[in-house]
Amino acid sequence: MTNTPIPFGKPQLDADAFDAVRAVLESGMLVHGTVTPAFEKAFAERIGVAEAVAVSSCTAGLHLTLFTRGIGPGDRVAVPAMTHVATAHSVELVGAEPVFIDVDPATGNMDPAALEALDGPLAAIMPVHYLGLPCDMDRIMAVAKSKEAFVLEDCALAVDATWGNRKAGTIGLAGSFSFYPVKHMTSIEGGMVTTNDPVLANDLRRRRAFGYNRALGERTKPGLYDVDILGMNYRMSEVEAAVGLAQIPHLDNFMADRSRNDAALRAIVGKIEGVTVFPDKVGPATSSHYCLNAVLPRDGSISRDRVVEGLKQRQIGSSVHYPGPVPLFTYYSQKYGYKSGQFPVAEWLADQTISLPVGPHLSESDAQRVGNAFQEAYNEAS
Ligand SMILES: *Cc1c(COP(=O)(O)O)cnc(C)c1O
């Protein structure tokens, strides 16, 4: 069966998820129940962090955290030029200015030297663990300290990624994870903010639900509340939490499959002359293996469209992370006047990277098939 389609990503949902969703639907308790707190507890234990606050998406978590910390007009926040647009949008949404830093050509992560060289104040730094490889958190935390900024990790692709003996999402003030269907684990839509700061966690919980304060004044009777701060509705539903909670016992297998598939694919694609494959281990950083990115030569001599087409002909799905340096997306280039040529590494990746699947929906021989298909498609495009 060599022609079975292999999609880039596919959520892994077993009978336990269906049963958990049915139980929630039958209970009638669709929000404000006990499943969301149980999911928060299980996720915090998995990551090794004091608090986890469930939200409606990673983007919501990033925005909520910046908002809760009072980031706003006049503040500057360092963001890598190569990331999902959500990272920068969360800064724009609070009225602050994203300051884009080009990425390291060896890892795709925010270049720590460029961050260190940045002039002027910073209110926050948002490292993005690109495709699951943790950023150099020692250097980023040192810059944060010197600028009196806090660090908010974008952990959308970093479930179980490690920096020494700590996991991504436990090193900065907070981290925000994504449970979008094709990430490491899913809750349909959903996200989780992790932090070791109990005061921040409490503030996040209040502001994700309108800023309700049930303890204030006379309004402490059941169902009554006062509101003393501004908040959003960024809650996670009980159905989503049930799906997310059911994924946790499978995570060990998911991660082992990703690691095995990455190794099998890397053994083939990593040998192709002219293709750059980023390492999955750098110093204390170990990747969570979101995908294997194969980056074509900078000179554009190989057409990415043709390689992607060749993969498609062989029934192999792929993706691009990410299709633009964020500062060159129209919204940002029009607002801030960024021009092509200012972020050469991010531009190279945006134009030439291809993300290949390594998820738990692949067997080891599937991963080899993806590698061989890539080799053939690359040869045809050469
Ligand atoms: C997917 C992704 C997001 C957005 O996650 P949502 O849960 O869909 O909001 C943010 N940052 C990065 C790096 C991502 O890959």
Side-chain angles (χ1 to χ4, degrees):
M1 286 295 287
T2 52
N3 280 327
T4 321
I6 300 178
F8 173 73
K10 186 166 174 241
Q12 301 293 292
L13 299 167
D14 284 349
D16 50 0
F18 288 81
D19 292 346
V21 167
R22 172 167 285 279
V24 168
L25 294 177
E26 283 173 352
S27 78
M29 195 76 171
L30 304 185
V31 289
H32 296 303
T34 56
V35 186
T36 303
F39 181 30
E40 291 178 331
K41 187 164 176 286
F43 193 78
E45 277 169 15
R46 175 83 194 187
I47 299 300
V49 71
E51 298 275 358
V53 179
V55 286
S56 53
S57 68
C58 170
T59 311
L62 295 172
H63 178 218
L64 180 68
T65 306
L66 294 174
F67 179 77
T68 298
R69 285 293 307 233
I71 300 299
D75 288 329
R76 293 169 11 120
V77 178
V79 170
M82 177 42 61
T83 178
H84 190 290
V85 70
T87 322
H89 272 9
S90 68
V91 177
E92 285 285 316
L93 282 168
V94 296
E97 182 187 341
V99 177
F100 293 100
I101 312 279
D102 203 1
V103 293
D104 181 340
T107 62
N109 276 331
M110 178 189 270
D111 184 349
L115 180 69
E116 285 158 359
L118 197 70
D119 285 328
L122 281 178
I125 302 173
M126 296 174 73
V128 177
H129 307 304
Y130 183 65
L131 307 178
L133 182 74
C135 294
D136 188 332
M137 293 308 291
D138 290 347
R139 286 173 76 179
I140 289 169
M141 294 304 288
V143 173
K145 197 168 177 212
S146 74
K147 301 250 186 205
E148 292 176 33
F150 68 86
V151 171
L152 171 55
E153 300 172 61
D154 183 333
C155 294
L157 302 181
V159 170
D160 274 357
T162 54
W163 176 255
N165 55 12
R166 299 172 74 174
K167 286 192 183 173
T170 70
I171 301 155
L173 172 71
S176 188
F177 291 81
S178 174
F179 306 133
Y180 181 75
V182 297
K183 306 237 165 162
H184 290 78
M185 54 176 275
T186 188
S187 66
I188 309 174
E189 293 272 12
M192 194 75 83
V193 180
T194 52
T195 182
N196 283 310
D197 180 338
V199 175
L200 176 62
N202 185 51
D203 289 349
L204 291 170
R205 287 201 171 90
R206 288 186 57 209
R207 290 197 197 262
R208 84 175 158 190
F210 309 107
Y212 287 163
N213 188 334
R214 294 175 196 279
L216 262 195
E218 295 169 19
R219 298 181 176 82
T220 50
K221 292 177 196 147
L224 302 185
Y225 52 80
D226 194 359
V227 177
D228 55 337
I229 50 172
L230 203 53
M232 295 86 161
N233 180 355
Y234 276 171
R235 283 183 308 240
M236 177 179 279
S237 77
E238 289 283 280
V239 172
E240 290 168 317
V243 173
L245 182 59
Q247 296 264 280
I248 302 254
H250 298 281
L251 260 182
D252 281 342
N253 286 336
F254 290 172
M255 301 315 292
D257 289 353
R258 285 183 177 277
S259 174
R260 176 201 64 206
N261 294 339
D262 180 278
L265 189 51
R266 188 176 289 275
I268 300 168
V269 177
K271 289 208 185 83
I272 304 175
E273 181 89 29
V275 176
T276 304
V277 172
F278 289 164
D280 63 341
K281 259 182 156 306
V282 178
T286 303
S287 177
S288 58
H289 299 119
Y290 180 62
C291 60
L292 188 95
N293 62 322
V295 200
L296 305 177
R298 282 200 200 217
D299 61 12
S301 53
I302 313 279
S303 155
R304 180 171 66 185
D305 289 350
R306 284 193 61 193
V307 177
V308 168
E309 191 46 46
L311 287 168
K312 231 183 241 162
Q313 283 165 9
R314 292 166 177 84
Q315 309 268 39
I316 309 293
S318 62
S319 188
V320 170
H321 296 88
Y322 296 88
V326 176
L328 298 187
F329 280 141
T330 301
Y331 173 86
Y332 289 93
S333 65
Q334 283 187 349
K335 181 164 181 181
Y336 295 105
Y338 289 115
K339 300 262 182 306
S340 65
Q342 282 183 268
F343 303 95
V345 182
E347 289 170 45
W348 169 48
L349 293 175
D351 292 344
Q352 303 295 0
T353 192
I354 302 173
S355 300
L356 299 171
V358 302
H361 59 302
L362 273 70
S363 66
E364 188 168 11
S365 69
D366 288 337
Q368 284 159 348
R369 196 183 123 204
V370 172
N372 294 331
F374 182 87
Q375 170 86 71
E376 290 166 21
Y378 184 85
N379 292 346
E380 282 167 16
S382 298

